[in-house]
Amino acid sequence: MRLLERMRKEWFMIGIVLAIAGAKLEPSIGVNGGPLKPEITVSYIAVATIFFNSGLSLKTEELTSALVHIKLHLFIQIFTLAFFPATIWLFLQLLSITPINEWLLKGLQTVGCMPPPVSSAVILTKAVGGNEAAAIFNSAFGSFLGIVVTPLLLLLFLGSSSSVPFTSIFSQLFMTVVVPLIIGQIVRRYIKDWLERKKPPFGAVSSCVLLTIIYTTFCDTFSNPNIDLDKFSLLLVLFIIFSIQLSFMLLTFLFSTRNNSGFTPADTVAIIFCSTHKSLTLVAQLNCDKKLCIKHKEYNFLVDLGFCRVERPHT
């Protein structure tokens, strides 16, 4: 009985293991274009469900108060879009003298330049009783900000001109984050009494959606036939990522809980998950020209034909 109770309590962690194992056994089900159609069901429906769910469960006054918590927003965005990538860059300068695969290190720097996650930070914050409204705002705002900031960071740290589909990502984020959240708030006004009486399992619903996202993500990973990396480098980088994640989570915890920080325990939870997790929503299209990168330090910032592009100009 104790084992069953423990499994029931830790069902989400068990679900993650099962999702990864299922993806390894049959990755073709969850890849893009596969039976699950994750390019639609995950990219749009799953994310929209999470934010509609949040719109239903959150009181309007909670969202309003979160919007004006400027100190919290500044902490999260500066940490994730400035401190995080700069620290990773310094750390990778040390790792560059090791035999670790160069492209794994570049990939680690690329992930470090990404904005906060759109969905997972919200779900994890909600699951442990954190400031969900603050997590929603910073996930959405950070993702919009990342459309512009991420290409700049990739150019600065990798010396690569980069671009993201500005119009398509902006519209996707707006339709899957902002619109469902607003609709959820509108619907809540009409069924508020029923929600407070029945108390639907909003957290469990969002967690199940996140498991679907995890499953399809690993399906894409395991179905890639072009991955040719030595096991030493791969395992070492996995250990490094785990260590970095724990270190940054501890660091944000210490900063946000110090005396006179002005943050509540619920704020601290949102800070930990939003500041230290990264999103791959922005698929950066790298186009590195070594001569271009070495000789010039000026930036060209272009928004053209729906793409946000940052590059160093030829002379």
Side-chain angles (χ1 to χ4, degrees):
M1 289 298 294
R2 289 184 178 180
L3 179 59
L4 291 176
E5 290 177 2
R6 187 68 179 177
M7 292 177 64
R8 189 179 297 111
K9 185 178 180 180
E10 303 294 340
W11 70 270
F12 182 68
M13 297 303 298
I14 295 173
I16 291 177
V17 174
L18 293 177
I20 296 174
K24 176 64 176 177
L25 290 173
E26 193 55 59
S28 61
I29 296 176
V31 297
N32 285 345
L36 287 184
K37 301 291 182 184
E39 64 274 16
I40 298 174
T41 57
V42 170
S43 298
Y44 292 93
I45 298 175
V47 176
T49 299
I50 290 170
F51 284 91
F52 174 75
N53 194 29
S54 295
L56 274 180
S57 61
L58 277 174
K59 297 178 181 178
T60 303
E61 52 267 28
E62 291 177 344
L63 281 174
T64 304
S65 63
L67 289 176
V68 297
H69 203 338
I70 306 299
K71 184 179 180 179
L72 174 65
H73 308 326
L74 285 175
F75 183 97
I76 291 175
Q77 299 305 327
I78 291 174
F79 189 96
T80 193
L81 290 175
F83 179 81
F84 196 120
T87 304
I88 292 296
W89 181 81
L90 289 173
F91 184 54
L92 293 185
Q93 300 312 299
L94 298 176
L95 292 180
S96 63
I97 62 175
T98 67
I100 299 177
N101 186 285
E102 176 189 3
W103 291 102
L104 281 174
L105 298 182
K106 288 181 181 292
L108 186 57
Q109 182 67 71
T110 300
V111 172
C113 294
M114 293 296 130
V118 176
S119 54
S120 61
V122 175
I123 294 172
L124 294 173
T125 299
K126 181 181 180 66
V128 293
N131 190 338
E132 183 187 0
I136 289 172
F137 176 83
N138 282 280
S139 293
F141 180 69
S143 294
F144 284 118
L145 195 61
I147 297 175
V148 174
V149 176
T150 293
L152 278 170
L153 291 174
L154 291 174
L155 177 62
L156 179 64
F157 292 116
L158 290 179
S160 303
S161 61
S162 58
S163 63
V164 295
F166 184 91
T167 303
S168 63
I169 290 182
F170 186 91
S171 60
Q172 179 180 346
L173 287 171
F174 185 79
M175 294 303 297
T176 58
V177 175
V178 180
V179 172
L181 185 65
I182 293 174
I183 293 175
Q185 284 284 285
I186 294 173
V187 173
R188 178 181 171 82
R189 294 181 58 186
Y190 293 99
I191 61 172
K192 180 180 178 180
D193 293 337
W194 181 85
L195 290 173
E196 293 180 352
R197 187 171 63 254
K198 295 294 185 179
K199 299 186 182 302
F202 292 114
V205 172
S206 294
S207 296
C208 288
V209 175
L210 181 56
L211 289 177
T212 303
I213 296 174
I214 292 172
Y215 171 72
T216 56
T217 300
F218 275 91
C219 282
D220 272 336
T221 301
F222 292 134
S223 64
N224 187 350
N226 298 319
I227 298 178
D228 184 20
L229 299 170
D230 62 283
K231 292 182 179 179
F232 170 77
S233 293
L234 187 58
L235 291 175
L236 189 55
V237 166
L238 287 175
F239 173 76
I240 290 169
I241 292 172
F242 181 76
S243 302
I244 289 173
Q245 186 74 39
L246 286 182
S247 299
F248 280 168
M249 291 179 76
L250 177 61
L251 185 62
T252 53
F253 174 79
L254 294 175
F255 268 99
S256 60
T257 56
R258 72 188 191 283
N259 293 334
N260 302 319
S261 67
F263 298 127
T264 66
D267 293 337
T268 296
V269 173
I271 287 171
I272 290 173
F273 288 125
C274 291
S275 300
T276 61
H277 292 189
K278 290 292 184 174
S279 171
L280 294 180
T281 301
L282 303 183
V283 183
Q285 299 179 4
L286 303 181
N287 180 20
C288 184
D289 182 334
K290 292 183 179 179
K291 293 182 180 178
L292 194 67
C293 297
I294 293 172
K295 292 184 178 180
H296 303 289
K297 296 182 179 179
E298 298 83 3
Y299 296 159
N300 270 352
F301 179 77
L302 308 171
V303 178
D304 183 34
L305 297 178
F307 275 78
C308 173
R309 183 172 184 81
V310 181
E311 60 184 13
R312 292 189 175 106
H314 290 286
T315 58

